[in-house]
């Protein structure tokens, strides 16, 4: 069956997603037009295609145990000089994102994955562009604010054309882990055929 490259992320909803995507385009990022705004949970991971059913079941189980949570973005940060990335900070919702990403790539699951750098949830607004443009992104979005409720995450697959496409949504369970009697796993919502790309790489 070969291999596929997967990623898991939380989409930044409208109107925030389009706004930040357009700003990224304005800073001169050549990939911005094809990168929906998001927070990465599982970076690009190559797996055997035969594992997809087990992976989807694992994602559904993680989602079933989760509960909706608030996410708030505020101001900018950067990974420079270690990595050429400027991002908008996740100032509320970081612990929940960290817990989810750890569960998704747990060594006992079907997608064990070691990270190159410590996990730091963020929303990329500039990647790999001229330093002057990176500085402008950092400065012009320094006072940016956005807030919404996260109700699930999604699985994406990278096509042979390099485009990341939405495969399935995984909504959180109605009660989460704190409520009794909630062992049922909600069905994942298929989104086959979407042409929405995600960044190469997930950042």
């Amino acid at each position: 069956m070969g291999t596929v490259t997967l990623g898991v992320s939380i989409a930044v909803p409208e109107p925030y997603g389009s706004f930040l995507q357009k700003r990224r385009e304005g800073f001169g990022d050549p990939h911005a037009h094809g990168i929906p705004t998001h927070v990465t949970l599982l970076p690009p991971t190559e797996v055997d295609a035969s594992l997809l059913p087990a992976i989807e079941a694992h994602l559904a189980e993680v989602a079933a145990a989760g509960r909706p949570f608030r996410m708030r973005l505020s101001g900018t940060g950067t990974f420079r000089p270690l990595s050429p990335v400027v991002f908008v900070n996740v100032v509320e919702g970081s612990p929940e994102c960290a817990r989810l990403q750890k569960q998704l790539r747990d060594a006992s699951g079907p997608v064990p994955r070691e990270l190159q750098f410590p996990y730091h949830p963020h929303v990329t607004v500039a990647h790999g562009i001229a330093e002057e443009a990176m500085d402008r992104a950092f400065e012009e979005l320094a006072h940016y604010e956005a807030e919404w409720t996260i109700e699930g995450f999604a699985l994406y697959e990278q096509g042979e054309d390099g485009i990341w496409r939405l495969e399935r949504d995984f909504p959180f369970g109605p009660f989460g882990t704190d409520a009794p009697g909630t062992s049922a796993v909600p069905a994942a919502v298929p989104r086959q055929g979407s042409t929405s790309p995600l960044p190469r790489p997930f950042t």
Side-chain angles (χ1 to χ4, degrees):
M1 295 181 66
T3 62
V4 294
T5 300
L6 305 177
V8 179
S9 73
I10 293 171
V12 175
E14 298 301 339
Y16 315 122
S18 291
F19 173 81
L20 291 175
Q21 186 178 33
K22 289 177 181 177
R23 292 309 310 270
R24 186 169 179 173
E25 291 176 356
F27 298 136
D29 192 319
H31 302 297
H33 70 281
I35 304 176
T37 315
H38 69 282
V39 176
T40 298
L41 295 178
L42 179 72
T45 303
E46 186 175 346
V47 301
D48 193 295
S50 66
L51 292 176
L52 279 172
I55 291 171
E56 292 185 1
H58 173 62
L59 298 187
E61 184 176 359
V62 171
R67 292 184 297 175
F69 61 92
R70 297 296 293 174
M71 176 167 283
R72 184 165 68 89
L73 308 180
S74 181
T76 50
T78 182
F79 294 135
R80 297 182 292 173
L82 191 62
S83 181
V85 174
V86 171
F87 55 84
V88 173
N89 295 308
V90 175
V91 296
E92 185 175 350
S94 290
E96 291 87 351
C97 288
R99 182 165 55 250
L100 284 171
Q101 64 86 27
K102 185 176 181 181
Q103 292 171 335
L104 291 173
R105 60 182 184 82
D106 189 84
S108 65
V111 280
R113 169 67 192 269
E114 293 295 328
L115 300 180
Q116 184 178 3
F117 303 107
Y119 180 73
H120 182 87
H122 63 280
V123 177
T124 298
V125 292
H127 180 206
I129 57 179
E131 286 296 318
E132 295 80 2
M134 301 276 275
D135 291 340
R136 189 159 65 89
F138 187 89
E139 294 167 2
E140 293 185 9
L141 291 171
H143 302 291
Y144 182 78
E145 300 277 342
E147 186 174 0
W148 71 94
T149 298
I150 303 297
E151 298 185 347
F153 53 78
L155 173 68
Y156 297 80
E157 181 177 331
Q158 187 181 40
E160 293 182 0
D161 56 1
I163 299 298
W164 289 86
R165 293 181 173 84
L166 180 60
E167 293 297 321
R168 288 185 182 274
D169 288 316
F170 292 88
F172 292 138
F175 303 106
T177 56
D178 293 339
T182 59
S183 59
V185 176
V189 181
R191 294 288 295 275
Q192 300 289 348
S194 169
T195 58
S196 298
L198 281 173
R200 184 174 53 249
F202 260 48
T203 60

